[in-house]
Amino acid sequence: IKVIKGKVEIALYNRAETFPKSNKEIKSKRITVKTDSVHCTFLVNKGYYAVALYHDENSNNICDANRLGIPTESFAFSKDIRPFLSAPSFTKTKFLVKNDTIIYIRLDKY
């Protein structure tokens, strides 16, 4: 995280039909930014999941975008998939949870 302010919104999905739609996630967390990284834990069953997140620098509860709909705040997806012109698919971002699973996601401004 480059700017130490605001919050990071992390959303967890388990279905292609809902990824990455707002308010369609199975779990989410909003974490106040205090350092250059945030950590989050979700308790889930075995299966495939995908994560979408954004850095809400101004804490207005939305991922701000320009007139073309391109986010102006940092965002990221699981497996560090970097989208081009549209959000990536669930298939490209999904990961398998069998046991305790740790993933790392790099948050960059595009």
Side-chain angles (χ1 to χ4, degrees), residues 29-77:
K29 289 197 178 176
R30 194 162 172 78
I31 302 168
T32 300
V33 174
K34 295 179 182 177
T35 65
D36 64 354
S37 65
V38 297
H39 305 272
C40 173
T41 301
F42 291 115
L43 299 176
V44 297
N45 295 322
K46 294 177 182 179
Y48 284 97
Y49 297 90
V51 172
L53 59 98
Y54 74 95
H55 182 192
D56 186 8
E57 289 183 28
N58 58 4
S59 297
N60 67 349
N61 297 323
I62 61 170
C63 184
D64 295 326
N66 64 21
R67 289 184 290 152
L68 299 175
I70 298 168
T72 56
E73 294 180 305
S74 302
F75 63 95
F77 299 95

